[in-house]
Amino acid sequence: DRYPRQLEKDSELLKEVGVDHIFAPSSDLMYGKNHVTFVEPMGFGETNEGKSRPGFFRGVATVVTKLFNIVQPTNAYFGQKDAVQCVLIRRIVEDLDMDVNVKIMDTVRESDGLAMSSRNAYLTQEEREKAPVVYQSLCAAREVYDARFARGMDEVEADDLREVVESVLETEPMIKNVQYVSVDDLETMKPLDKVGNDGCVVS
């Protein structure tokens, strides 16, 4: 999970929207040579995403906790694109009684629906052209969910949402294997069998 390092470019973009200060510590500064303490969020490693990225959520929980302790922000803003991380961060703030308001912002997308991300730079031209199928698959699941409730149903089978996501993804020949499609609770990220009015996280 390597992210492009583009601090100079990011700084210019932030300057354009009126940002006064940037906190961008080095890894050595955040994690000294004697660092042994981590935040271990129970259960997140057992999610499908957690299983596919061992240790990832421990890293997220630890660095965000350190960030909040150092900066002590009034508000912290995160993109909805990283839905599981958003659930995790809200869980940390509530469980550890942190005095910070977590604001989840809508995903910003390219004109074809692809979520904007620094890691899009790693896509080949062909991969970039095909990538919006992921968003299309999620939209298809949302349409099924909305249609069922419009007909008066009070819950939707999670399997139905998974199946429609998989069916859309399978229309793209470049996709050889779908690692997982998850339908999880909005607050706990535990798998759901049925989805009610509260909605869910499809990932």
Side-chain angles (χ1 to χ4, degrees):
D1 291 298
R2 300 294 296 175
Y3 288 80
R5 303 290 182 177
Q6 48 186 26
L7 182 58
E8 185 175 342
K9 178 181 177 182
D10 291 341
S11 299
E12 288 300 318
L13 292 171
L14 291 168
K15 184 178 180 180
E16 290 176 7
V17 294
V19 171
D20 297 312
H21 303 283
I22 298 173
F23 180 62
S26 66
S27 179
D28 289 341
L29 185 61
M30 288 294 282
Y31 303 99
K33 64 179 182 179
N34 296 319
H35 185 277
V36 296
T37 305
F38 295 88
V39 178
E40 186 71 62
M42 304 303 292
F44 282 80
E46 282 71 62
T47 64
N48 281 327
E49 184 171 355
K51 291 175 182 176
S52 69
R53 308 168 85 178
F56 175 72
F57 290 118
R58 184 179 80 160
V60 171
T62 301
V63 74
V64 170
T65 298
K66 288 173 69 70
L67 175 67
F68 287 171
N69 284 339
I70 295 167
V71 178
Q72 298 190 9
T74 301
N75 300 307
Y77 300 85
F78 297 88
Q80 194 176 42
K81 172 177 70 70
D82 301 307
V84 184
Q85 292 183 56
C86 291
V87 174
L88 170 60
I89 292 164
R90 280 180 162 164
R91 187 80 269 135
I92 293 168
V93 167
E94 182 174 337
D95 290 351
L96 300 183
D97 301 304
M98 294 182 174
D99 187 19
V100 55
N101 298 312
V102 176
K103 308 285 188 179
I104 307 302
M105 311 305 291
D106 289 342
T107 300
V108 180
R109 298 185 178 278
E110 304 286 359
S111 59
D112 60 2
L114 179 65
M116 290 187 178
S117 170
S118 58
R119 288 188 294 176
N120 290 346
Y122 293 141
L123 298 174
T124 66
Q125 181 177 347
E126 185 180 13
E127 289 170 341
R128 172 61 188 85
E129 291 172 354
K130 306 299 185 182
V133 72
V134 176
Y135 179 54
Q136 293 162 12
S137 71
L138 297 175
C139 288
R142 180 57 187 259
E143 289 173 4
V144 168
Y145 177 84
D146 288 343
R148 301 284 173 85
F149 278 89
R151 296 205 303 268
M153 299 178 65
D154 56 7
E155 56 185 17
V156 178
E157 295 288 337
D159 282 344
D160 292 346
L161 300 180
R162 271 189 289 270
E163 286 172 8
V164 72
V165 170
E166 290 171 350
S167 67
V168 173
L169 294 176
E170 288 169 358
T171 65
E172 175 47 60
M174 279 195 72
I175 297 177
K176 305 300 183 184
N177 177 53
V178 177
Q179 281 186 305
Y180 63 85
V181 177
S182 295
V183 179
D184 300 319
D185 185 270
L186 284 166
E187 294 187 2
T188 67
M189 291 308 299
K190 291 182 178 179
L192 296 174
D193 293 322
K194 299 179 184 296
V195 182
N197 285 318
D198 291 338
C200 63
V201 175
V202 178
S203 61

